[in-house]
């Protein structure tokens, strides 16, 4: 049994996959053949395009299948005007006017008499000004000569008036010619070329194992023999050692005594400083200054022990003060041992002779305070103030401003 579909207009539509079946309620039977009635077929209603009577253009259409725009016959066509083949020129075709050649006009040279008259007038003017300048130079020269002559004539009168009134320099500065020792200068000059001799003396002293080997080379050996033998001596170098070529030899005067210092380096890289004195035209080794002799070892002085009657060291001003040694009354100094391994604090009362002897060793500038360098000194120390620290000492006396004694 076959079925067919009939729409509402009694047409039998073609059945296609895109057609939709009606509801089962709409099915009817017709004889043996069941008949189904379908709803009317939907029609696609295209959107009408509303055009304005005054606006002929179509709106913006987006899509790949947009219809081509048809020309509106009512619209006005483009008017075309044909231009003639002739070209309108802005400039006449006629040839330009030829330029006229420049005409040179020659002027006649003025007569020779007029030129001479003109230059003669200029020469007269120049000559007159030159004569005036020469006249002024002669007048100025006469005036200068007159001033010089007048000054020379008045010079004796001025000198006579100055000679009558003593100048301040004559009152304040006096020169005592008796203090100038020509013999001392000659002795220093004699010591300058004796560096090689000083090196040989120190070599014999440093390599000696017995006191008798170097005793004849010592200054004041007789008075110091007992002290030298009492002090242990150890050889520092071998017999084959020679001082290096870079040794320094300095010559100076100390309290009227010509002295010399030889400084260098030993084989163990330690430095040495040997002091010499010229005595009876012979170079002698100053034993006390060379070994840095002190009546007490610095190890004892640090703990407030030992005899401080003759102490050698390096001194430099410092600012370490305590209640026992206030800054208002004392000047503080730092005293280093000759080998600069131990330190003592020493104090000199301000205004005392000891402080007046030490102050010139450390001059200070009024504008720039320069750093001080330690200076060699030989002093006596006193430790008699109760309440002071162990390594604080009072300076009893300044023996001399060097390690070499006078």
């Amino acid at each position: 049994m076959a079925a067919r579909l009939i729409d509402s207009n009694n047409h039998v539509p073609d059945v296609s996959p895109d057609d939709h079946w009606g509801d089962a309620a709409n099915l009817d039977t017709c004889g043996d053949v069941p008949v189904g009635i379908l709803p009317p077929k939907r029609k696609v209603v295209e959107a009408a395009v509303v055009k304005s009577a005054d606006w002929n253009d179509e709106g913006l259409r987006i899509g790949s299948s947009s219809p081509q725009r048809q020309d509106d016959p009512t619209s006005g066509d483009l008017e075309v005007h044909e231009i003639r083949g002739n070209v309108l020129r802005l400039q006449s075709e006629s040839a330009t006017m030829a330029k006229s050649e420049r005409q040179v006009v020659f002027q006649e040279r003025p007569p020779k008499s007029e030129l001479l008259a003109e230059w003669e007038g200029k020469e007269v003017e120049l000559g007159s000004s030159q004569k005036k300048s020469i006249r002024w130079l002669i007048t100025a020269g006469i005036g200068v000569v007159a001033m010089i002559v007048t000054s020379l004539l008045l010079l004796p009168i001025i000198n006579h008036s100055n000679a009558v009134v003593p100048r301040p320099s004559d009152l304040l500065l006096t020169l005592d010619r008796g203090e100038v020792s020509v013999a001392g200068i000659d002795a220093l000059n004699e010591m300058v070329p004796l560096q090689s001799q000083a090196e040989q003396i120190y070599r014999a002293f440093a390599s000696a194992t017995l006191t008798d080997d170097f005793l004849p080379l010592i200054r004041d050996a007789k008075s110091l023999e007992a002290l030298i033998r009492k002090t242990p001596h150890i050889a520092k170098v071998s017999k084959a050692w020679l001082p290096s070529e870079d040794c320094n030899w300095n010559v100076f005067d100390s309290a009227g005594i010509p002295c010399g210092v030889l400084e260098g380096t030993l084989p163990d890289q330690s430095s040495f400083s040997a002091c010499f004195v010229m005595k009876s035209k012979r170079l002698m080794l100053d034993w006390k200054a060379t070994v840095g002799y002190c009546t007490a070892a610095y190890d004892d002085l640090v703990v407030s022990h030992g005899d401080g009657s003759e102490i050698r060291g390096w001194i430099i001003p410092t600012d370490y003060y305590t209640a026992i040694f206030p800054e208002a009354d004392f000047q503080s100094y730092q005293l280093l041992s000759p080998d600069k391994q131990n330190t003592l604090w020493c104090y000199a009362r301000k205004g005392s002779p000891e402080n007046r002897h030490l102050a010139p060793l450390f001059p200070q500038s009024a504008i720039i305070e320069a750093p001080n360098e330690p200076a060699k000194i030989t002093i006596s120390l006193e430790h008699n103030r109760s309440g002071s620290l162990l390594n604080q000492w009072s300076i009893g006396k300044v023996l001399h401003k060097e390690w070499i004694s006078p």
Side-chain angles (χ1 to χ4, degrees), residues 49-57 72:
V49 179
V50 181
K51 293 185 179 181
S52 175
D54 299 333
W55 181 57
N56 298 326
D57 293 336
D72 189 1

Side-chain angles (χ1 to χ4, degrees), residues 250-281:
N250 300 320
V251 177
F252 59 95
D253 181 87
S254 178
I257 300 175
C259 305
V261 176
L262 180 67
E263 296 178 342
T265 306
L266 296 175
D268 60 354
Q269 300 304 319
S270 62
S271 59
F272 70 88
S273 178
C275 301
F276 297 85
V277 174
M278 180 67 74
K279 188 175 182 180
S280 301
K281 296 184 178 181

Side-chain angles (χ1 to χ4, degrees), residues 67 144 157 257:
V144 172
I157 301 174
I257 300 175

